[in-house]
Amino acid sequence: MEKLLTTENVRLYYGDKEALHGINLDYDRYGITALIGPSGSGKTTYLRTLNRMHDLTDYVTVNGTFLLNGQDIYAPTMDTADLRKQVGMVFQQPNPFPFSIYDNVAFGLRTAGVKDKSIIDERVETSLKQAAIWDEVKDGLHASALSLSGGQQQRVSIARALATSPEILLLDEPTSALDPVSAHQIENTLIELRDKYTMIIVTHSMSQASRLSDRTAFFMSGDLIEVNDTKQMFMNPEKQETQDYISGRFG
């Protein structure tokens, strides 16, 4: 089966300093891959290469092969706005725009030139339902998204990312700023979406990685140490470093 996304020999430099040392990872269509590892291991740095977030930083150089549906996402002809519609991102801190809930979710569609109100209405409703927050906000869509709780804001951020019908959703520690109840709601949302999207999640929580993901990749010091089926990785890792990290000997 052809991979949805292939990344080969990914190297990233901050100025002259190499921060990622030749990462090889690919992703099937659908399912959740967790990226784990200690702070500074390169997992978020790698995640941000997948929708060219590093383009916004002058002193960063990214090398390697990145193929999404066989297309080079770093090709000069690739429109980064189009890429980010296909590869959505949800950040650690909920980051709704200071607009209404409706306008937050509609933002990407309008940016993409969709003007038909009935299409926007339908996508907003569908995305909020997929993000498991429609029932809580449907009677107040024109209230400010900033009036919501942190967990609700994060689900609106997920809905905003889903509205442009991405193929891939990148999630950078999406529950670490939330209380346990909200974190649990976000996890349930992601589990519901795993058959519809390819999701790549950076997490510091071993229990979250084991609960949510189909596959886990372990990063350390800018290297990919091991990638495997999550159950296999947690029960019987191949590398001693993985064993030490998972069992809490360092981190």
Side-chain angles (χ1 to χ4, degrees):
M1 185 169 124
E2 191 192 344
K3 299 291 183 184
L4 172 62
L5 175 66
T6 303
T7 67
E8 289 176 358
N9 196 26
V10 174
R11 294 176 186 276
L12 180 139
Y13 300 86
Y14 291 112
D16 296 332
K17 183 177 184 296
E18 188 176 272
L20 294 176
H21 314 305
I23 308 297
N24 297 305
L25 259 178
D26 50 40
Y27 305 89
D28 293 325
R29 203 172 288 282
Y30 313 129
I32 301 176
T33 299
L35 310 183
I36 64 169
S39 292
S41 60
K43 51 197 187 299
T44 293
T45 301
Y46 168 77
L47 189 78
R48 293 169 73 93
T49 66
L50 304 179
N51 70 347
R52 293 181 51 171
M53 289 295 285
H54 293 292
D55 285 18
L56 308 170
T57 314
D58 290 341
Y59 54 86
V60 171
T61 309
V62 178
N63 295 333
T65 304
F66 297 80
L67 298 177
L68 174 61
N69 288 316
Q71 278 193 301
D72 175 6
I73 69 173
Y74 278 83
T77 50
M78 173 60 75
D79 180 324
T80 50
D82 282 346
L83 173 66
R84 290 179 193 141
K85 288 203 295 277
Q86 294 176 69
V87 185
M89 186 146 190
V90 176
F91 297 92
Q92 184 171 0
Q93 294 288 341
N95 65 336
F97 301 134
F99 316 145
S100 71
I101 296 162
Y102 181 98
D103 288 339
N104 262 274
V105 182
F107 181 83
L109 295 168
R110 289 179 175 146
T111 306
V114 179
K115 293 189 171 63
D116 185 324
K117 187 172 183 311
S118 62
I119 292 174
I120 295 175
D121 285 351
E122 188 272 326
R123 286 298 307 155
V124 167
E125 181 173 339
T126 302
S127 303
L128 288 166
K129 282 178 174 169
Q130 285 187 313
I133 191 166
W134 171 253
D135 289 341
E136 293 165 56
V137 301
K138 64 183 179 196
D139 298 325
L141 290 177
H142 298 290
S144 168
L146 300 177
S147 67
L148 299 171
S149 71
Q152 289 173 319
Q153 288 184 11
Q154 192 65 309
R155 280 180 285 152
V156 167
S157 300
I158 291 171
R160 188 176 68 205
L162 296 178
T164 57
S165 304
E167 295 200 69
I168 298 174
L169 198 56
L170 308 177
L171 301 120
D172 187 8
E173 295 192 54
T175 63
S176 65
L178 304 178
D179 64 273
V181 173
S182 298
H184 181 65
Q185 287 173 318
I186 298 286
E187 286 190 12
N188 285 345
T189 300
L190 299 181
I191 288 166
E192 289 288 312
L193 296 172
R194 71 174 348 134
D195 298 332
K196 300 182 183 73
Y197 298 93
T198 297
M199 289 180 278
I200 306 169
I201 179 170
V202 167
T203 178
H204 270 295
S205 163
M206 295 301 101
S207 57
Q208 184 173 72
S210 63
R211 276 196 303 273
L212 283 185
S213 67
D214 306 289
R215 257 191 353 152
T216 298
F218 171 54
F219 282 71
M220 198 166 78
S221 306
D223 288 305
L224 175 63
I225 304 298
E226 183 173 347
V227 58
N228 213 327
D229 174 83
T230 295
K231 230 179 226 113
Q232 176 74 21
M233 181 86 115
F234 279 86
M235 304 290 282
N236 189 21
E238 291 171 4
K239 300 283 176 67
Q240 186 61 45
E241 301 101 307
T242 314
Q243 174 69 50
D244 290 348
Y245 182 70
I246 287 171
S247 61
R249 285 188 201 137
F250 72 93

